[in-house]
Amino acid sequence: MPVGVALPVTNEEGFFEIRLESIGGLGANVAGKILAEAGVLYSGLNGSNFASYGSEKKGTPVKSFVRFAAPEKEIRNATPVERPHVLGIFHEALVLSDKSVLSGLYSHSVVVINSRKDPETMREMLGIKVRRLGTVPALDIATETGSRTNMAMLGAITKACEFLSPEGVVEAIRDALGTRYPQMLQGNLEAFWRGYHGVKWHEVTVSEGEAEQPYVRPQPLFGYETATLGGTLVRPGTTWNKDMSASRQGQLPEFLRDKCIDCAQCDLVCPDYCFVWEMGQDKKGRPAMVLKGIDYQYCKGCLKCVEACPVDALVAIPEADGWAPEHRVQQRFSIIATVG
Ligand code: SF4
Ligand code: SF4
């Protein structure tokens, strides 16, 4: 067992705390586990990790927490991390749509965001004043190395936790993946090192307490005091505004109308009803439903439809920056026209 390394800063309870804000499917839970194991097994610290999430469906918010302490100090606290020394944000859509993921920061906190934007631009967009803000294009790295967003983020977060040995984190990755998924190990390690060396930092001088962010506990829309009788949904169309695009891992299906034979195999396997149909004609001129395309707002990039299509009318393509191709908008208009 290694001698415990010194923690650079702790809170009043003696803990160094990390919060990972993510979306189901990006691997923040695994990243938190690996980080905690690396601290305990390879840096001699005491550590704990736990996560909170709602339904386990891809695309829902996930938080993973890591707490470190000196080896002589026990950790008997399993409450969510409200004031993180390091905050990792696994998808920039999270922070751009909901600033509460940034709550609880100290002035000396370090924030790492999965984004192609440079950290200076990101800092301006967010208007936060933490000491160090880093960005890393974790999704691009994941796509290029055949790994997941979490490994590049793990690399960048390890860099932010200067007391952790990166070699120790690599050993923890080997422990976690080497036996169960040996074929994925090399790509994951490459992604880790690319995240570690590739994170870009923007640092400013912030005096202690100058820009601290109060912690805001996210409140559910309906709780036990406000839920309708029997849990009835009284508002129709509650899934209309759901946006699953943040779940994608760098690829999405492209629809090639010329090849499509309207067999609907894609629609049968799609978990999120992304396929948009309209009344038209089959090849013999008879009335039939014709596939118009994909509504990318609901597509989480699982690519099951690509596998299912018998005539290669769906192909996997890399996702463009931020949003899917422009015909998504056309699809939305199409749906509105159909419904309205
Ligand atoms: S990749 Fe295909 S099957 Fe998966 S959610 Fe998107 S449209 Fe549906
Ligand atoms: S599975 Fe392929 S051919 Fe069949 S409807 Fe879907 S896109 Fe068209």
Side-chain angles (χ1 to χ4, degrees):
M1 175 69 83
V3 179
V5 295
L7 291 166
V9 61
T10 55
N11 62 14
E12 57 282 0
E13 291 183 90
F15 301 141
F16 183 97
E17 300 187 322
I18 301 169
R19 187 169 80 221
L20 308 180
E21 296 272 0
S22 185
I23 292 167
L26 299 184
N29 195 7
V30 172
K33 278 193 178 112
I34 291 174
L35 212 52
E37 275 189 28
V40 173
L41 298 178
Y42 301 103
S43 291
L45 295 164
N46 270 344
S48 71
N49 159 249
F50 49 97
S52 84
Y53 36 83
S55 97
E56 295 193 32
K57 197 171 184 227
K58 267 185 166 184
T60 52
V62 169
K63 292 176 194 284
S64 180
F65 310 103
V66 180
R67 196 164 263 139
F68 287 125
E72 64 278 6
K73 176 156 183 64
E74 288 186 341
I75 301 178
R76 293 199 175 275
N77 181 344
T79 57
V81 169
E82 296 185 349
R83 307 219 56 197
H85 297 100
V86 171
L87 174 66
I89 296 170
F90 279 51
H91 199 297
E92 71 173 32
L94 277 169
V95 79
L96 296 177
S97 62
D98 177 10
K99 295 281 191 303
S100 76
V101 299
L102 293 168
S103 70
L105 289 169
Y106 300 101
S107 300
H108 59 258
S109 297
V110 182
V111 177
V112 180
I113 304 177
N114 167 21
S115 173
R116 291 176 182 147
K117 295 181 178 65
D118 64 79
E120 206 165 349
T121 307
M122 184 55 84
R123 189 189 285 275
E124 273 172 32
M125 287 173 70
L126 301 181
I128 54 171
K129 267 194 159 183
V130 288
R131 180 175 62 91
R132 277 178 104 193
L133 187 144
T135 55
V136 61
L139 186 56
D140 292 344
I141 294 174
T143 309
E144 287 160 20
T145 55
S147 64
R148 289 168 78 198
T149 304
N150 59 353
M151 285 298 135
M153 282 299 289
L154 193 53
I157 291 163
T158 302
K159 189 82 174 175
C161 298
E162 286 159 351
F163 56 93
L164 284 180
S165 138
E167 289 77 19
V169 181
V170 164
E171 286 310 309
I173 294 172
R174 286 185 194 282
D175 296 342
L177 304 179
T179 311
R180 290 173 68 193
Y181 309 107
Q183 74 285 6
M184 294 173 65
L185 191 56
Q186 194 180 349
N188 279 290
L189 292 179
E190 188 188 337
F192 170 82
W193 285 116
R194 283 184 59 180
Y196 184 82
H197 294 297
V199 57
K200 290 188 193 147
W201 298 107
H202 183 246
E203 305 203 22
V204 292
T205 307
V206 187
S207 53
E208 205 51 52
E210 183 190 346
E212 300 207 349
Q213 315 266 325
Y215 178 71
V216 180
R217 186 180 294 278
Q219 296 297 328
L221 189 58
F222 293 116
Y224 72 95
E225 288 178 329
T226 52
T228 50
L229 192 62
T232 314
L233 280 177
V234 292
R235 198 157 47 101
T238 50
T239 55
W240 173 265
N241 289 325
K242 275 207 185 320
D243 186 346
M244 304 298 286
S245 61
S247 302
R248 295 198 288 261
Q249 306 270 333
Q251 288 196 304
L252 75 175
E254 184 179 32
F255 175 51
L256 307 174
R257 180 58 251 175
D258 291 350
K259 292 188 174 182
C260 178
I261 55 173
D262 299 310
C263 68
Q265 291 299 313
C266 50
D267 212 353
L268 286 176
V269 297
C270 179
D272 284 285
Y273 303 111
C274 300
F275 289 91
V276 181
W277 298 79
E278 66 180 10
M279 185 53 84
Q281 293 180 338
D282 66 12
K283 288 211 169 76
K284 293 182 179 167
R286 294 172 300 198
M289 295 304 288
V290 175
L291 181 57
K292 192 160 164 48
I294 300 165
D295 191 329
Y296 289 100
Q297 177 177 334
Y298 306 118
C299 172
K300 57 190 177 193
C302 67
L303 303 180
K304 286 182 180 167
C305 55
V306 174
E307 280 175 38
C309 180
V311 293
D312 296 332
L314 291 163
V315 290
I317 57 167
E319 181 157 9
D321 195 4
W323 275 101
E326 57 292 341
H327 48 277
R328 167 188 175 260
V329 177
Q330 294 167 6
Q331 293 301 341
R332 300 292 294 156
F333 278 122
S334 160
I335 292 173
I336 291 164
T338 308
V339 174

